[in-house]
Structures are given as structure tokens and as C-alpha cells.
Amino acid sequence: MESKKKRRVPAVVKVALFCFALYAAISLIHLQLKISEKGARIAQLDAEIQRRTTQNETLRGVIEKGASDADIAAIARDKLGYAYPQERVFVDASSQ
């Protein structure tokens, strides 16, 4: 009758397997964190795309509609500081 011997795994192999398993676990955790960061960045960029698309549609509508005389006068008054002749412009200095 043959006696069955159990083969023992050398300690070096056990340590090597443990180190490999530890490395694999740390790598998986690191990759999972990167995936989460990239997913958050994608969501942020999707929101930015949606905002820009809405803004573009609004501007496209304004371009198609054209600028009226009232729009041009409002821009000249607000942005450029122009006024009609004989018009008095009052500036509220209390808010400054």
C-alpha cells in the first residue's frame, strides 16, 4: 500500500501568492475609484452640454427673429451708455 503524502507548499510560494492577491485587490480598488471619478466627470460634462445646447437654441431663435429697434436701443442704452437727445438719465448711486 502506498502512503499518500501531502505535499507542502513552500513558504516562499505562499508569500508570493499573498503579495499577488494583495496587489490585485489594491489595483481593483484603484481602478474602481478612477471609474467613479470619470463617471462623475461625464455627468458634469453632460450637464454642461445640455446647458450649452439650450443656450445655443435660445441664441439661434434670437438670430432668426432678428434684432428689433427696441433691442438695439436697449443694448445702446445699457451697454454703451447712449441716450436719446434731450433724454435725462438718472443713476441710482445709493446701491453703490
Side-chain angles (χ1 to χ4, degrees):
M1 301 245 168
E2 292 181 29
S3 63
K4 293 186 180 180
K5 286 186 174 179
K6 286 188 177 179
R7 287 189 161 180
R8 291 192 157 235
V9 179
V12 174
V13 174
K14 287 182 182 179
V15 170
L17 285 174
F18 176 76
C19 289
F20 177 74
L22 184 65
Y23 170 76
I26 290 172
S27 294
L28 286 175
I29 291 170
H30 180 69
L31 288 174
Q32 220 30 55
L33 290 174
K34 276 184 146 179
I35 289 170
S36 297
E37 290 173 3
K38 298 298 181 185
R41 179 72 176 139
I42 287 172
Q44 181 184 17
L45 291 173
D46 284 341
E48 179 71 18
I49 288 170
Q50 184 63 34
R51 187 181 68 79
R52 295 282 174 118
T53 302
T54 304
Q55 185 180 21
N56 285 345
E57 289 172 0
T58 303
L59 291 174
R60 192 172 286 118
V62 169
I63 290 171
E64 288 174 0
K65 183 178 81 170
S68 67
D69 290 341
D71 293 336
I72 294 171
I75 291 170
R77 183 176 292 114
D78 296 339
K79 303 228 185 246
L80 301 175
Y82 290 169
Y84 287 111
Q86 306 298 325
E87 180 183 17
R88 290 186 184 184
V89 178
F90 297 97
V91 178
D92 183 17
S94 65
S95 65
Q96 295 176 355

